Amino acid sequence: QLVESGGRSVQTGGSLRLSCAASGYIYKMSCMGWFRQAPGKEREGVAVIKSDGSTSYPDSVKGRFTVSRDDAKNTVYLQIDRLQPDDTAMYYCASGFLGGATLAPDRYKYWGQGTQVTVS
């Protein structure tokens, strides 16, 4: 089970930290990813963190998004800085990586329900 939280309405330039709490066996899987989907757009990967702590980001969010994990809490975080209106989306975390491209949504088996981020 994956449960996201932390989404809310914020002003341009602000910051947010999203959380994703995972059940034990899901958390221990090799990759956990953060994805977002804006209305009318495809779901896109914004951050991935592996069990060894290595991270990946698309160029579009590098420098503003930071993914981290707290193994003691089975929780993955997504820090978003300098928020822009284009960041408005439902944000999801995912696990159960199937191999291949780590930022591709179709490579993940388990998904949370999402948390809404609105930037104005």
Side-chain angles (χ1 to χ4, degrees), residues 8 10-16 64 79-84 87 119-120:
R8 60 182 175 90
V10 295
Q11 292 188 337
T12 299
S15 296
L16 273 180
R64 295 196 302 117
Q79 176 73 32
I80 310 175
D81 297 318
R82 302 190 302 282
L83 278 154
Q84 304 166 5
D87 294 320
V119 185
S120 59

Side-chain angles (χ1 to χ4, degrees), residues 30-51:
S30 60
C31 277
M32 291 192 72
W34 281 99
F35 298 81
R36 68 183 180 185
Q37 188 166 20
K41 295 187 178 181
E42 293 186 355
R43 191 169 296 189
E44 62 172 344
V46 295
V48 167
I49 187 164
K50 296 184 178 180
S51 55

Side-chain angles (χ1 to χ4, degrees), residues 18 20 22 26-35 45-58 65-71 74-79 93-97 102-103 108:
L18 306 181
C20 174
I26 287 180
Y27 185 80
K28 289 179 173 61
M29 293 182 175
S30 60
C31 277
M32 291 192 72
W34 281 99
F35 298 81
V46 295
V48 167
I49 187 164
K50 296 184 178 180
S51 55
D52 64 0
S54 59
T55 59
S56 298
Y57 307 91
F65 285 36
T66 305
V67 60
S68 61
R69 59 192 299 156
D70 184 335
D71 292 343
N74 285 4
T75 299
V76 174
Y77 303 99
L78 182 68
Q79 176 73 32
C93 68
S95 189
F97 181 57
T102 55
L103 288 169
Y108 290 81

